[in-house]
Amino acid sequence: MDVEKVTEELYGLKPADFVAARDAYVAEARGAKDPTSAKAIAALRRPATAAWAANLLARERPQEARGFLSLGRTLREAHRTLDAERMREASRERHRLVGTLARTAAALARDAGQPVSDTVVREIEQTLQGVLAHQDVAELWSKGRLVKVPEAAVDFTEITPDTVPPRPAPKRERKERNGDTARLDRARAAATEADAEVARRERELDEAERARRTAATAAGEAADRVGRLEADLREARRARGDTEAAASTAGTSVTAAERALKEARRTADRAARALEGLERHDS
């Protein structure tokens, strides 16, 4: 059995369909007396919804994925070399892209029939942050095979710079270098905190915009309903007027008919009496 092909297919399925399909392939491999493939496929794990949505983004938008992976390499290199200017530039791009791509991934997931909550959207953002910070996460994501949401990455301190034996330096130079390093560390900490604050504010803005759109939609629907009800009320009032007019006309007709009936009865009575008188006279 082609394990690579099966793996590619399984991680393209929605999370709810993953386990049944995986187990079916395991049974098929065992039936074909292929224990190696069966073991490899059985070891595959069902992806979390957020990880699956991020994988879907990498699969469906390869050009955007390549750009995002390139940004991750730039960020990691900037932190490795302590290049403050590149850090700032890449961090600005990072904040812009993470939110945009997370919303794109959520939209792709919904289009594929997978419900995505606001919590999952935030987990997608966390996953994409992990792609930028961790080389191993980036490699799995590039193949569309992430299984879980990585740990939150608000900084890149896990990336350690390559070290070489330093040349001996005068005491004063070492002291100045240590002072520069301490200032850089403080600047990095401040930049990290600022980045985290920007991310929090962006999430708050996104949530506020979603709430505003929801409220605007509800207001529009309510206005439409009011319009329909007002139209129904006007129609009912016209119908009532027509009914009242018809009832008035019918009442007038009934009164006239009653008068005509009485007159006809009086005429009939007079005719009957006249006939009776004539009959008595003849006898």
Side-chain angles (χ1 to χ4, degrees):
M1 182 174 289
D2 188 337
V3 175
E4 179 65 21
K5 183 178 179 180
V6 170
T7 301
E8 182 70 14
E9 177 187 335
L10 289 176
Y11 282 105
L13 298 175
K14 289 191 292 186
D17 300 330
F18 182 91
V19 173
R22 179 199 61 192
D23 292 350
Y25 276 119
V26 170
E28 182 180 340
R30 288 172 178 165
K33 308 299 182 184
D34 186 357
T36 302
S37 296
K39 183 177 180 180
I41 295 170
L44 299 176
R45 290 292 169 261
R46 174 183 181 274
T49 301
W52 174 82
N55 289 339
L56 185 62
L57 174 69
R59 291 167 179 267
E60 297 291 327
R61 301 293 176 86
Q63 184 173 351
E64 294 175 46
R66 285 193 293 273
F68 195 66
L69 290 168
S70 177
L71 175 63
R73 289 191 292 272
T74 298
L75 274 166
R76 291 191 296 273
E77 177 64 14
H79 280 76
R80 186 185 71 80
T81 59
L82 303 181
D83 188 331
E85 182 59 30
R86 289 181 71 192
M87 283 185 205
R88 284 193 295 271
E89 292 176 0
S91 292
R92 284 194 292 269
E93 186 69 1
R94 163 194 168 199
H95 289 308
R96 184 184 70 81
L97 280 180
V98 166
T100 299
L101 292 182
R103 289 190 292 273
T104 300
L108 290 172
R110 294 186 183 107
D111 289 345
Q114 176 64 50
V116 176
S117 66
D118 290 345
T119 299
V120 172
V121 173
R122 287 192 289 272
E123 290 178 346
I124 296 172
E125 291 178 352
Q126 181 173 324
T127 300
L128 294 176
Q129 295 281 12
V131 169
L132 294 176
H134 305 278
Q135 178 64 33
D136 56 340
V137 176
E139 290 176 358
L140 285 174
W141 181 70
S142 68
K143 299 176 182 178
R145 297 182 186 179
L146 280 177
V147 173
K148 62 181 181 178
V149 177
E151 295 296 326
V154 296
D155 196 1
F156 291 79
T157 53
E158 71 282 356
I159 303 170
T160 57
D162 296 334
T163 57
V164 295
R167 63 180 178 83
K171 182 177 180 180
R172 181 177 178 181
E173 181 181 340
R174 288 199 302 271
K175 183 176 180 180
E176 291 176 351
R177 184 178 300 169
N178 290 338
D180 290 342
T181 301
R183 284 192 294 274
L184 181 57
D185 287 343
R186 288 194 296 272
R188 288 181 61 190
T192 297
E193 179 59 29
D195 287 348
E197 180 65 17
V198 168
R200 286 195 293 271
R201 297 306 181 187
E202 287 178 342
R203 286 195 296 271
E204 290 174 0
L205 177 59
D206 287 343
E207 291 171 359
E209 288 179 344
R210 282 194 292 270
R212 180 180 58 80
R213 288 193 295 269
T214 300
T217 300
E221 292 173 350
D224 290 343
R225 186 165 181 269
V226 167
R228 290 193 299 270
L229 290 173
E230 288 177 341
D232 291 344
L233 179 59
R234 288 192 296 269
E235 183 62 28
R237 284 173 173 168
R238 281 195 296 268
R240 185 184 67 182
D242 293 343
T243 302
E244 289 174 347
S248 177
T249 300
T252 302
S253 298
V254 168
T255 301
E258 287 175 343
R259 290 197 191 104
L261 176 60
K262 289 178 181 178
E263 184 61 31
R265 283 174 177 170
R266 283 196 295 271
T267 300
D269 287 343
R270 286 194 298 270
R273 286 194 296 273
L275 177 60
E276 184 180 351
L278 288 172
E279 287 177 343
R280 283 197 302 270
H281 183 271
D282 289 343
S283 58

